[in-house]
């Protein structure tokens, strides 16, 4: 198989709130389908994520307040984890904080040459916001 692209589908509990959550981060609502809306798409650059109301995958926010900061905390959520590659992790971190988006791991340089932070969607989907860094 030679894949051309991948579009994740997130199970969400509220379409309107999910569109708004992504738009706070600078994503656009590309389209919505159904009456009432039960499926839709958000996009940023060439990337898209589909949103499905109450279906097509798991979800669930755990009681964990952090992710990837202490042993086992990444197991608390029932949602999808995605790595989103950006130019500036710190900029996205500040945008998230300014807009009340939950940050579960503040920006940190990793020994394998990546700077990352984590943000969490209200339905338990975790986004690892990452950029490459130069290591010596």
């Amino acid at each position: 198989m030679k894949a051309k692209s991948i579009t994740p589908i997130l199970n969400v509990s509220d379409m309107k709130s999910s569109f708004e959550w992504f738009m706070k981060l600078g994503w656009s609502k590309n389209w919505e389908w159904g009456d009432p809306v039960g499926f839709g798409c958000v996009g940023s650059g060439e990337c898209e994520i589909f949103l499905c109301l109450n279906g097509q995958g798991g979800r669930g926010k755990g009681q964990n307040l952090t992710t990837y900061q202490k042993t086992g905390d990444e197991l608390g959520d029932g949602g999808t984890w995605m790595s989103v590659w950006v130019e500036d992790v710190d900029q996205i971190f500040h945008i998230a904080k300014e807009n009340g988006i939950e940050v579960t791991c503040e920006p940190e340089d990793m020994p394998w040459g990546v700077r990352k932070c984590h943000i969490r969607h209200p339905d338990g989907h975790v986004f690892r916001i990452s950029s490459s860094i130069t290591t010596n």
Side-chain angles (χ1 to χ4, degrees):
M1 169 178 38
K2 183 177 180 181
K4 293 182 180 184
S5 68
I6 295 174
T7 305
I9 303 171
L10 299 182
N11 178 328
V12 299
S13 62
D14 185 311
M15 293 297 291
K16 182 177 186 271
S17 294
S18 291
F19 282 130
E20 291 170 354
W21 187 88
F22 279 98
M23 291 188 317
K24 288 178 185 177
L25 292 167
W27 289 61
S28 62
K29 177 168 66 170
N30 290 357
W31 51 265
E32 60 185 27
W33 183 81
D35 185 19
V37 175
F39 203 79
C41 177
V42 293
S44 175
E46 295 183 28
C47 299
E48 291 184 329
I49 299 173
F50 290 167
L51 307 175
C52 182
L53 183 63
N54 297 320
Q56 297 190 18
R59 71 168 190 256
K61 183 176 174 180
Q63 297 299 312
N64 53 317
L65 300 177
T66 62
T67 51
Y68 206 74
Q69 294 186 54
K70 58 186 178 184
T71 302
D73 64 354
E74 73 276 5
L75 303 175
D77 296 309
T80 300
W81 276 55
M82 285 186 277
S83 190
V84 180
W85 294 87
V86 300
E87 293 283 327
D88 186 346
V89 169
D90 294 283
Q91 177 189 27
I92 304 306
F93 167 74
H94 291 297
I95 290 170
K97 293 294 276 186
E98 289 170 2
N99 285 283
I101 291 173
E102 183 181 9
V103 174
T104 58
C105 182
E106 294 193 1
E108 178 180 9
D109 292 345
M110 305 309 293
W112 50 85
V114 170
R115 183 162 180 78
K116 56 97 178 156
C117 76
H118 295 180
I119 59 175
R120 181 164 52 188
H121 182 275
D123 286 318
H125 305 296
V126 176
F127 293 80
R128 178 181 291 181
I129 309 301
S130 306
S131 63
S132 296
I133 56 174
T134 304
T135 57
N136 296 329

